[in-house]
Amino acid sequence: CHRYHPGITLATTSLNRLITSWQMYSSSSPSNVHETRRRRSYWQGLDSVCAVFFLAMEQNEIETFAMFRFWTDSLMEVRLYVSEQDAKGVYGENSLRVDQQMPLVMDELAFYDPELFSHLAKKQEMDPKWFLLPWILTGFAHGVLPIGDTLLRLFDWFMVGKVTVVDVSMAVLVEMREVMLRLNDSGDVKMFLSRLPAMSPDALVDE
């Protein structure tokens, strides 16, 4: 999704190598009995996440792979699995917890901003998963925000646990409320939330 970024255009081979290495790692069995890593399959937009780390690590493949592994093994561990039982054991496939996270965002919106929630709820065709799914699964990296200060700062905060993707999803909706209240067509809302304008990361955290 970021293939036209100047730091990515000439690095396709590196990104392909990183994704292939991750797939091999993710599909392999743990190296010892103490490792609780779950097998995973690739999901759409994961290449965009890798591209963010690749640029943040100044195109160092080893450091990029380490950060990418941490994202999928630690941060996504929380996001993708509900529990050992729900994941059907240590090696469960991508049994997504996202279906529980998306309603959480909308429930918080209903409490925090009833007017905006009511405006979105009136649009019968407006399924929140249209925009929340790529937000939550890729941390806004899959074409939602361009690689720049906002996205890189958000990833910094995700990695250290300062904020969660659910927190930022809620903040984005509130930050963009005036624009969305003027949009009466569900298709326009979907298009707007699929390609967000530049925003201040500090403003989102303050929300």
Side-chain angles (χ1 to χ4, degrees):
C1 234
H2 301 294
R3 62 186 180 277
Y4 299 117
H5 187 282
I8 296 298
T9 304
L10 301 178
T12 304
T13 301
S14 292
L15 287 176
N16 287 341
R17 185 161 47 238
L18 284 162
I19 292 294
T20 300
S21 298
W22 178 87
Q23 288 179 306
M24 294 175 62
Y25 159 78
S26 298
S27 63
S28 64
S29 298
S31 58
N32 62 72
V33 295
H34 302 293
E35 189 177 353
T36 58
R37 169 170 52 87
R38 294 179 170 91
R39 288 177 178 168
R40 290 182 181 79
S41 55
Y42 179 89
W43 62 87
Q44 185 176 8
L46 205 54
D47 57 326
S48 298
V49 175
C50 187
V52 173
F53 287 122
F54 185 68
L55 292 178
M57 296 298 106
E58 299 181 343
Q59 303 188 7
N60 183 304
E61 291 186 31
I62 295 176
E63 293 180 357
T64 298
F65 188 72
M67 294 297 99
F68 193 42
R69 275 184 52 181
F70 179 78
W71 173 275
T72 56
D73 287 0
S74 299
L75 299 185
M76 295 307 296
E77 188 79 7
V78 176
R79 214 169 298 151
L80 291 177
Y81 295 99
V82 183
S83 67
E84 289 293 333
Q85 291 76 22
D86 294 331
K88 297 181 180 178
V90 174
Y91 302 114
E93 289 296 326
N94 287 351
S95 176
L96 298 183
R97 185 186 177 189
V98 174
D99 286 339
Q100 296 183 357
Q101 301 248 354
M102 289 189 289
L104 179 61
V105 175
M106 300 310 292
D107 288 346
E108 289 185 1
L109 181 66
F111 177 80
Y112 187 84
D113 194 333
E115 181 183 8
L116 179 56
F117 176 82
S118 177
H119 179 73
L120 294 176
K122 287 177 182 178
K123 305 183 187 320
Q124 300 299 320
E125 306 87 2
M126 187 61 200
D127 188 340
K129 74 172 58 173
W130 285 352
F131 59 90
L132 287 177
L133 195 60
W135 289 10
I136 293 173
L137 281 180
T138 70
F140 297 88
H142 191 51
V144 181
L145 286 171
I147 292 183
D149 290 342
T150 298
L151 189 58
L152 292 173
R153 182 84 67 82
L154 287 178
F155 265 64
D156 278 345
W157 290 339
F158 293 152
M159 294 292 281
V160 299
K162 182 175 181 178
V163 295
T164 68
V165 177
V166 171
D167 295 333
V168 177
S169 297
M170 172 64 185
V172 166
L173 291 173
V174 174
E175 180 75 8
M176 295 290 106
R177 73 181 307 274
E178 297 304 325
V179 176
M180 287 187 288
L181 287 174
R182 294 196 298 268
L183 299 175
N184 294 312
D185 182 78
S186 59
D188 292 338
V189 175
K190 176 186 175 184
M191 182 175 298
F192 174 74
L193 294 176
S194 297
R195 294 289 186 275
L196 293 172
M199 288 178 284
S200 164
D202 296 304
L204 291 178
V205 172
D206 289 342
E207 291 286 355

